[in-house]
């Protein structure tokens, strides 16, 4: 007979968990007492990373999951501890990230009495999680944990929340491992429809101007090789969504760039010229489609997705192929005729050249003036040669770093896409460093997002997490400032920021630090950062009114991209 708290330890061990991000408190104290033995000595099974805020625990779990392909785990207490995780739960839901959040709860006898630090976590988490459940009895722990991990990691991944009342933690039960691999009415891997596969192949074979839109589903399904075989056999140019950027190597000859509001000019224009659009593991976000009523009206749309609810949700589909893209892509590829589409692929190049001359070269190789975000990102990208993991915060730093970083390996970008969570970068980078300890992790942040999770420098200090933090400081909430200048008559309402002395903050946390204010010092500063063992903060003084370009204005069609801003 063991306590429910120890049963949780064994259940997590049974799921292959080795890293936990957490923060203790009253209602989860029995679990942390059990965790004491499982993080040291003969019973050691886990590394526990003490974060400084519960929201950071969820973002760290997300970063861990995104780069490792495993389920990220965090453990927190009830009440505010639990509610602090909800932003991370919603973020993981929108970005299909498999995490399991385990939160303490008051004893079942006190439920509904407004007891100290009681909150209806299952109720508030249900709309923003894949599954939420309250474990009321110790004997249900093994089953509930196994089911939680099964739901989180299968099909379209996502977050699961387990609410764990204190009485279930302290009462005893016989331990018997459980293995859940079936849930009634839950079909994580739909069987592909052969008719739909044949119809998709027929459309592609007849296409003169096909275009593939590659989303994170390729990464989640580990279908990188299958994607390359698919586009190479039929000679299909491909563009990637923000979360799908590392699903296809940057240098692949059929890689035409990034989609979306701040993506590359050529794929956005060509979406409006292609005759067959093949969407693979992407959800037609509004940031990709622009004005939906004007999006790719000329094209036949083939949508490959594991989640039936995404079909026809935003864009009408002509052929829907439901299933795991690791299965559906090769099934379609087998039916494809060998093709090249040389003229169509070549037609992207003048647009690439136009963007390079008008936007890219001025951004990464400016002649004079203050430092620009694009050149800082480019300097780090060149130095890491496409081998590093990019983690971003949210805002201009996110768009610049996503655009100008290089991706040669899979699972190389960690960013908050659907929810756009400022403060995501630092804790997600911590998680990524634990999820892929053999790789370099470069985290780009603006001064706004950095200050939203600055307390996690304490976690980095304690763990000596080798995160290279590039702080692009323009003294503004830059993305909001850009929109205010463009659409609100330069009325910069509360976007100017007074910043602290980051050198003193870095010193307080015993983290190596340097600041770059001159262009001539940038390359050497980046080299020193990358050569330094452990964590590092590199602050770059950025031009205050640096703008992200190209840009599709809100409410406009994707082919109305702006290469310059006259403001």
């Amino acid at each position: 007979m063991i306590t429910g708290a120890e049963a949780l330890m064994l259940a997590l061990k049974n799921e292959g968990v080795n890293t936990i991000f957490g923060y203790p408190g009253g209602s989860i104290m029995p679990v942390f007492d059990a965790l004491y033995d499982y993080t040291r000595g003969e019973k050691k099974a886990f590394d526990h990373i003490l974060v400084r805020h519960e929201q950071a625990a969820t973002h760290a779990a997300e970063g861990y999951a995104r780069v490792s392909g495993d389920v990220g785990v965090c453990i927190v207490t009830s009440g505010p501890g639990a509610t602090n995780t909800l932003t991370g739960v919603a973020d993981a839901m929108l970005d299909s990230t498999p995490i399991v959040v385990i939160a303490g709860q008051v004893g079942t006898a006190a439920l509904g009495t407004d007891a100290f630090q009681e909150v209806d976590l299952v109720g508030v988490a249900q709309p923003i999680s894949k599954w939420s459940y309250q474990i009321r009895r110790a004997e249900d722990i093994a089953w509930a944990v196994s089911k939680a991990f099964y739901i989180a990691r299968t099909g379209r991944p996502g977050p699961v929340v387990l609410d764990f009342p204190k009485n279930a933690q302290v009462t005893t039960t016989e331990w018997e491992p459980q293995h859940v691999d079936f849930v009634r009415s839950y079909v994580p891997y739909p069987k592909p429809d052969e008719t739909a596969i044949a119809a998709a192949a027929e459309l592609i074979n007849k296409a003169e101007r096909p275009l593939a839109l590659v989303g994170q589903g390729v990464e989640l399904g580990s279908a990188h090789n299958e994607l390359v075989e698919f586009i190479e056999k039929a000679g299909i140019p491909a563009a990637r969504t923000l979360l799908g950027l590392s699903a296809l190597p940057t240098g692949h000859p059929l890689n035409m760039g990034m989609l979306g509001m701040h993506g590359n000019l050529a794929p956005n224009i060509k979406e409006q010229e292609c005759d067959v659009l093949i969407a693979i593991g992407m959800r037609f976000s509004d940031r990709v489609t622009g004005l939906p009523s004007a999006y790719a009206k000329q094209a036949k749309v083939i949508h490959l997705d594991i989640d039936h609810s995404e079909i026809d949700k935003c864009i009408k589909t002509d052929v829907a192929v439901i299933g795991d893209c690791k299965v559906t892509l090769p099934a379609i590829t087998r039916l494809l005729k060998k093709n090249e589409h040389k003229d169509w692929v070549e037609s992207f190049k003048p647009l690439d050249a136009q963007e390079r001359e008008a936007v890219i070269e001025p951004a990464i190789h400016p002649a004079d003036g203050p430092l620009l975000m694009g050149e800082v990102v480019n300097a780090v990208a060149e130095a890491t040669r496409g081998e590093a993991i990019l983690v971003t915060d949210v805002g201009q730093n996110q768009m610049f770093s996503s655009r100008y970083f290089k991706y040669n390996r899979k699972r190389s970008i960690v960013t908050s896409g659907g929810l756009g969570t400022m403060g995501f970068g630092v804790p997600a980078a911590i998680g990524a460093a634990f999820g892929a300890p053999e790789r370099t992790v470069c985290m780009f942040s603006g001064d706004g997002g950095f200050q939203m999770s600055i307390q996690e420098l304490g976690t980095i200090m304690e763990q000596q997490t080798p995160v290279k933090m590039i702080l692009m400081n323009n003294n503004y909430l830059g993305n909001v400032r850009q929109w205010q200048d463009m659409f609100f008559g330069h009325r910069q309402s509360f976007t100017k920021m007074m910043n602290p002395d980051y050198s003193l903050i870095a010193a307080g946390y015993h983290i190596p630090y340097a600041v770059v204010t001159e262009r001539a010092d940038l390359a050497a500063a980046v080299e020193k950062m990358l050569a330094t063992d452990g964590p590092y903060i590199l602050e770059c003084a950025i031009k205050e009114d640096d703008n992200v370009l190209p840009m599709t204005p809100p409410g406009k069609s994707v082919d109305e991209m702006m290469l310059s801003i006259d403001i």
Side-chain angles (χ1 to χ4, degrees):
M1 302 288 288
I2 60 173
T3 65
E6 185 164 5
L8 176 64
M9 299 298 104
L10 295 177
L12 293 175
K13 184 178 177 181
N14 205 43
E15 294 298 328
V17 174
N18 54 41
T19 304
I20 298 169
F21 305 92
Y23 201 95
S27 290
I28 199 66
M29 214 173 292
V31 166
F32 272 83
D33 185 63
L35 187 61
Y36 184 90
D37 291 331
Y38 282 84
T39 54
R40 66 202 72 209
E42 293 182 2
K43 285 186 176 181
K44 179 173 170 57
F46 315 116
D47 289 318
H48 176 267
I49 314 305
L50 176 65
V51 295
R52 300 312 192 252
H53 192 286
E54 293 90 353
Q55 182 177 329
T58 56
H59 294 327
E62 288 184 272
Y64 179 92
R66 294 268 278 272
V67 302
S68 69
D70 296 327
V71 178
V73 178
C74 61
I75 301 178
V76 300
T77 194
S78 64
T83 56
N84 280 345
T85 69
L86 293 176
T87 297
V89 172
D91 193 277
M93 187 67 176
L94 281 171
D95 286 350
S96 304
T97 306
I99 66 172
V100 171
V101 176
I102 300 165
Q105 181 58 280
V106 302
T108 54
L111 289 172
T113 67
D114 293 332
F116 179 66
Q117 292 191 332
E118 179 196 357
V119 71
D120 180 7
L121 181 60
V122 171
V124 295
Q126 199 164 21
I128 56 171
S129 63
K130 200 173 174 186
W131 185 53
S132 60
Y133 181 76
Q134 188 174 80
I135 308 173
R136 294 190 166 209
R137 306 184 309 162
E139 52 264 44
D140 294 334
I141 292 168
W143 164 83
V145 170
S146 182
K147 181 176 178 179
F149 276 77
Y150 173 66
I151 290 174
R153 64 165 58 108
T154 56
R156 180 179 183 174
V160 170
V161 175
L162 292 177
D163 195 34
F164 199 9
K166 202 167 185 179
N167 60 286
Q169 301 173 39
V170 298
T171 54
T172 57
T173 182
E174 289 188 20
W175 168 251
E176 183 178 346
Q178 298 284 322
H179 178 65
V180 175
D181 59 7
F182 172 78
V183 176
R184 188 175 62 184
S185 77
Y186 173 56
V187 183
Y189 302 105
K191 183 179 179 181
D193 182 346
E194 296 296 333
T195 303
I197 287 171
E202 183 179 5
L203 275 180
I204 296 168
N205 283 331
K206 291 179 178 178
E208 295 181 0
R209 300 180 306 280
L211 177 61
L213 310 184
V214 178
Q216 190 192 196
V218 172
E219 295 256 52
L220 297 174
S222 297
H224 307 83
N225 294 336
E226 289 80 1
L227 171 68
V228 170
E229 291 170 5
F230 170 77
I231 62 173
E232 287 183 349
K233 183 174 182 180
I236 301 172
R240 303 103 77 225
T241 67
L242 175 64
L243 294 181
L245 282 174
S246 61
L248 187 65
T250 299
H252 193 284
L254 290 172
N255 185 349
M256 298 300 155
M258 174 178 159
L259 295 163
M261 176 178 280
H262 292 295
N264 293 112
L265 178 66
N268 280 282
I269 295 293
K270 293 300 180 178
E271 284 177 295
Q272 303 295 76
E273 297 178 12
C274 68
D275 57 359
V276 174
L277 196 66
I278 308 119
I280 307 167
M282 54 88 72
R283 59 187 179 87
F284 287 112
S285 159
D286 58 299
R287 287 297 172 101
V288 166
T289 65
L291 183 65
S293 61
Y295 180 75
K297 304 303 291 183
Q298 79 293 339
K300 296 288 186 182
V301 177
I302 301 168
H303 195 170
L304 283 68
D305 208 287
I306 201 167
D307 186 353
H308 191 280
S309 70
E310 289 298 338
I311 305 302
D312 294 335
K313 187 174 80 174
C314 299
I315 298 298
K316 184 76 175 79
T317 300
D318 294 281
V319 177
V321 181
I322 311 298
D324 187 345
C325 61
K326 195 170 181 67
V327 175
T328 57
L329 272 175
I332 295 172
T333 303
R334 284 192 290 270
L335 302 178
L336 295 183
K337 298 174 182 176
K338 182 70 177 173
N339 210 331
E340 290 185 331
H341 298 292
K342 282 185 178 180
D343 291 343
W344 170 236
V345 172
E346 285 292 316
S347 73
F348 284 73
K349 292 183 179 179
L351 293 166
D352 285 336
Q354 183 183 353
E355 181 185 352
R356 176 158 287 279
E357 181 181 356
V359 175
I360 296 175
E361 283 299 322
I364 65 176
H365 296 128
D368 52 27
L371 282 171
L372 302 180
M373 290 192 190
E375 67 178 314
V376 172
V377 175
N378 185 65
V380 178
E382 293 290 335
T384 53
R385 294 183 288 276
E387 296 298 313
I389 292 170
L390 168 67
V391 181
T392 86
D393 207 87
V394 166
Q396 288 183 320
N397 67 88
Q398 178 186 32
M399 295 296 101
F400 274 111
S401 57
S402 300
R403 278 177 54 83
Y404 295 119
F405 214 68
K406 305 291 189 296
Y407 312 93
N408 291 338
R409 299 174 63 179
K410 63 184 181 180
R411 294 188 176 274
S412 290
I413 180 169
V414 180
T415 190
S416 174
L419 199 62
T421 305
M422 288 182 67
F424 175 87
V426 174
I430 294 170
F434 281 97
E438 76 286 357
R439 299 185 64 187
T440 299
V441 176
C442 296
M443 192 285 299
F444 289 86
S445 179
D447 42 309
F450 193 74
Q451 291 183 81
M452 282 195 175
S453 55
I454 202 167
Q455 76 283 342
E456 296 312 313
L457 295 179
T459 306
I460 290 173
M461 172 183 66
E462 182 173 349
Q463 300 293 332
Q464 282 300 291
T465 318
V467 176
K468 311 306 180 186
M469 294 167 276
I470 301 94
L471 170 58
M472 300 198 287
N473 185 359
N474 60 6
N475 298 303
Y476 271 94
L477 298 175
N479 212 42
V480 184
R481 189 273 312 152
Q482 179 173 335
W483 282 50
Q484 286 174 339
D485 285 354
M486 292 178 67
F487 309 121
F488 293 87
H490 293 272
R491 290 163 57 87
Q492 296 175 355
S493 181
F494 303 103
T495 44
K496 178 78 171 176
M497 298 195 77
M498 178 180 288
N499 277 296
D501 186 332
Y502 290 108
S503 68
L504 296 179
I505 289 173
Y509 284 106
H510 306 290
I511 296 174
Y513 164 91
V515 62
V516 178
T517 59
E518 301 295 331
R519 180 163 292 112
D521 301 328
L522 178 60
V526 169
E527 183 179 348
K528 181 180 179 181
M529 173 186 72
L530 294 173
T532 302
D533 291 336
Y536 200 98
I537 298 174
L538 179 63
E539 181 183 359
C540 299
I542 300 296
K543 181 183 179 186
E544 289 191 346
D545 60 351
D546 196 6
N547 291 317
V548 188
L549 290 167
M551 180 178 182
T552 301
K556 298 291 186 178
S557 170
V558 292
D559 56 354
E560 296 182 79
M561 290 200 87
M562 302 165 61
L563 294 180
S564 62
I565 300 175
D566 184 17
I567 50 177

